[in-house]
Amino acid sequence: MTLRNYADHYGVEVDPKIRSEDVTIAFAFDAGYLPLFQVAAYSLAQSKNFLDSEVVIYTDDPVVADDPMVKITADRISMLEGERRERLYGLAENSIHREDRAQWNKGTFLKWMMFEEQNNPTAVFLDVDMIFLRSFDEKLLQAATADFNAAPQFMYRLLKDEAGEHLPLSRKWEVMNAALAADYSGRLATNVNSGLMVIREPMLSRAFFDEITAFASQSRRTNEQSHFTAYFKKHPERLKMISYAFNHQDEYIGALRDWEAMKELMEKISVIHYAGKPKPWHRRLSDVPRPTSSLWHWHATASGADVRPLMGVPAVS
């Protein structure tokens, strides 16, 4: 299938150049995220990334496997079942502090299904709550030289002073530019955000699935990705923290609190990750406060995704 097939079917004009054939692109989600997947897939194709890479979709939801767009895009659809299902559901219920979010945790642990033998030596996992601003696939793969590569989970306190007040814009730029240069220290040096991961072959195995799930079962942590952070504190040689440009969270773009500065930052990054709140798909376009939200709505409209149910508006059949 591939993203090129998606582009051809949905009328997205794409570059004829073949890119990254020896890479698997992985997504993991349930039916509630199908509209977001359509927006992400459109954005990925429109920005000419991974056009001819194998696409694998991991899910525990048969509705996803039967979706026509998924069938057009995916080379392989993998359903969570059997012993792997029991193990990941167990982690969702028992290895996260907030038991009340067990159902949400099940969705986040779906991405751990990618730790299996793949058809390619490299796999790139992407969350579906993302849009892609420009071609970045070759730069990403060149930067990702370790077994496990990811950008950090950023922290809002880095943009504030000791009293909790926002730093001057010039100081915020110093912090942002260091993150874009992958110049990390302290907690950011191993603080993994699992929304974008580049995984190399030693970890694309059932052996690593067994290793990481056994490790996570030994403790309770804040969320799924915090188990990666803990693991790599013990195995730092297997981790590389890459530029924040490859997984820049929307809320930290908004933290610049200056429209022109936000636009300037968006010229320097490749991926916007809509982690945190508010979500642009929970707001009408007329209510969005910053350019990143408007940009997501533009991609949603261009992709033809029906995002009305996400905004609490019933879909019209």
Side-chain angles (χ1 to χ4, degrees):
M1 294 287 105
T2 76
L3 286 163
R4 189 180 296 279
N5 283 4
Y6 169 91
D8 289 343
H9 184 84
Y10 287 96
V12 183
E13 293 186 9
V14 297
D15 196 317
K17 180 182 177 183
I18 294 175
R19 295 174 184 268
S20 308
E21 283 190 292
D22 58 346
V23 176
T24 294
I25 305 303
F27 300 92
F29 56 93
D30 59 29
Y33 288 84
L34 276 168
L36 298 185
F37 172 67
Q38 185 168 349
V39 177
Y42 173 87
S43 174
L44 202 58
Q46 191 268 341
S47 58
K48 303 176 177 62
N49 285 292
F50 301 111
L51 292 175
D52 298 295
S53 299
E54 178 190 43
V55 175
V56 177
I57 294 176
Y58 294 103
T59 189
D60 60 352
D61 191 337
V63 174
V64 170
D66 289 336
D67 183 78
M69 183 190 60
V70 168
K71 291 180 177 179
I72 288 169
T73 308
D75 296 273
R76 179 164 65 91
I77 303 168
S78 179
M79 289 290 299
L80 180 62
E81 53 193 9
E83 192 270 340
R84 283 204 303 172
R85 178 185 175 115
E86 292 179 10
R87 192 176 300 191
L88 292 182
Y89 278 10
L91 291 177
E93 294 174 357
N94 303 314
S95 73
I96 305 299
H97 287 306
R98 292 187 59 180
E99 297 177 3
D100 59 308
R101 300 187 70 184
Q103 190 61 40
W104 184 83
N105 294 331
K106 287 180 181 179
T108 64
F109 274 105
L110 286 177
K111 65 186 70 173
W112 290 31
M113 293 174 68
M114 73 180 293
F115 298 118
E116 62 176 2
E117 287 69 21
Q118 301 284 352
N119 293 327
N120 295 294
T122 302
V124 177
F125 176 83
L126 300 170
D127 270 347
V128 296
D129 57 344
M130 290 179 161
I131 60 171
F132 308 92
L133 303 182
R134 54 188 46 85
S135 177
F136 68 93
D137 51 0
E138 294 177 352
K139 290 182 179 180
L140 174 65
L141 295 173
Q142 289 169 4
T145 56
D147 292 350
F148 187 107
N149 308 266
Q153 175 60 44
F154 204 76
M155 293 178 286
Y156 217 118
R157 65 174 178 79
L158 296 175
L159 302 176
K160 295 183 177 182
D161 62 22
E162 295 181 356
E165 299 296 324
H166 277 264
L167 294 173
L169 184 58
S170 60
R171 291 281 306 282
K172 289 181 179 179
W173 268 120
E174 292 177 8
V175 175
M176 286 296 181
N177 284 330
L180 296 178
D183 180 11
Y184 304 122
S185 60
R187 287 177 59 190
L188 286 188
T190 57
N191 199 20
V192 171
N193 183 293
S194 62
L196 183 148
M197 301 178 287
V198 183
I199 312 299
R200 300 293 187 180
E201 202 160 42
M203 289 186 172
L204 297 176
S205 66
R206 179 57 192 254
F208 184 71
F209 176 86
D210 291 342
E211 179 183 355
I212 192 63
T213 53
F215 176 85
S217 69
Q218 297 171 9
S219 62
R220 284 179 177 266
R221 299 194 181 276
T222 304
N223 49 34
E224 160 267 327
Q225 65 192 16
S226 62
H227 285 288
F228 286 133
T229 297
Y231 175 86
F232 288 115
K233 285 183 178 179
K234 295 180 178 293
H235 304 279
E237 75 284 355
R238 308 194 74 179
L239 171 69
K240 181 177 180 181
M241 301 303 285
I242 56 178
S243 169
Y244 201 51
F246 296 121
N247 184 5
H248 205 302
Q249 290 183 238
D250 172 48
E251 64 181 306
Y252 301 115
I253 301 173
L256 293 180
R257 305 175 80 184
D258 178 275
W259 188 275
E260 291 301 321
M262 285 187 274
K263 291 196 295 182
E264 182 179 349
L265 179 58
M266 288 163 60
E267 291 293 324
K268 299 183 177 186
I269 67 177
S270 301
V271 182
I272 300 177
H273 186 183
Y274 294 93
K277 296 180 179 180
K279 306 290 192 185
W281 50 88
H282 290 161
R283 295 182 169 196
R284 299 176 187 273
L285 183 57
S286 59
D287 297 329
V288 298
R290 53 184 182 251
T292 51
S293 298
S294 300
L295 192 58
W296 186 90
H297 277 275
W298 183 91
H299 280 86
T301 300
S303 71
D306 186 359
V307 299
R308 290 171 296 179
L310 301 176
M311 294 186 285
V313 180
V316 179
S317 59

